[in-house]
Amino acid sequence: MRTILGRPDTPVIATAAALLAVGLGFGLVVPSVFAVALAASVVAGGVFFALRFPAPFCAAWLLVAGMSLEMAFADLVGPDAYQPTIAIIKGAEIGLALLCVLRFGPRLDPLCPAWAFPVMLVTGLVHGLYPGLSTADSLRSAVGSVTPFAFCFVRVPRSWADTIVRTTKWCPTVAVLACLPLAVAGIRP
């Protein structure tokens, strides 16, 4: 595939240049918006790379999720870091799954265990929730429970699946190696 200048990456370079120009333009006209425009450009670039190379991004996410960072941050920062850390990790998974749907296409999996959680949510809403459990908490719990099955609804290629299986095998080793410096320094056992 050839483009205007005879280079296949011309649209990517043109888009990056346009985003940078918009960010710099905001910086000149409205300096207070420059940081937001620059951050939006960086996020757009990250989304582009995740869409272009989904397997490495999903593997990196899996390694991070396999570290159980919510527990470490709860110990190091405090219990207030527990839920936000889980939300960020699961939000990243949802985002990656949506990018993979855009890249590879959707797939209906009628036997996926994820279907049980919406049924439990509806049953709880119809028959009454546990005392003290709000509707918002119940909905958040249902979304969080369905999230681990997000990739079941993506038509992934074999190479993606092979990458994820290999990464899963390495998760425990990477977690132990990453935690060794914290243990040696006495920060976290």
Side-chain angles (χ1 to χ4, degrees), residues 64-185:
V64 169
M67 298 275 198
S68 298
L69 292 180
E70 66 277 3
M71 298 169 101
F73 285 159
D75 290 347
L76 296 172
V77 178
D80 292 339
Y82 186 77
Q83 289 298 334
T85 305
I86 291 174
I88 289 169
I89 291 172
K90 289 193 178 194
E93 180 183 7
I94 292 169
L96 285 170
L98 290 174
L99 287 176
C100 285
V101 165
L102 289 174
R103 172 79 182 193
F104 304 124
R107 175 180 90 118
L108 179 63
D109 186 356
L111 301 177
C112 181
W115 295 111
F117 298 103
V119 170
M120 286 187 271
L121 173 67
V122 169
T123 302
L125 293 174
V126 169
H127 294 290
L129 297 174
Y130 184 78
L133 182 66
S134 70
T135 303
D137 287 338
S138 186
L139 182 61
R140 180 191 51 76
S141 177
V143 169
S145 298
V146 168
T147 300
F149 303 102
F151 290 103
C152 293
F153 299 99
V154 180
R155 188 178 309 281
V156 295
R158 178 66 184 209
S159 60
W160 183 94
D162 290 343
T163 299
I164 297 304
V165 169
R166 263 192 314 278
T167 304
T168 303
K169 291 177 188 177
W170 282 98
C171 277
T173 304
V174 171
V176 168
L177 291 175
C179 292
L180 282 176
L182 295 175
V184 170

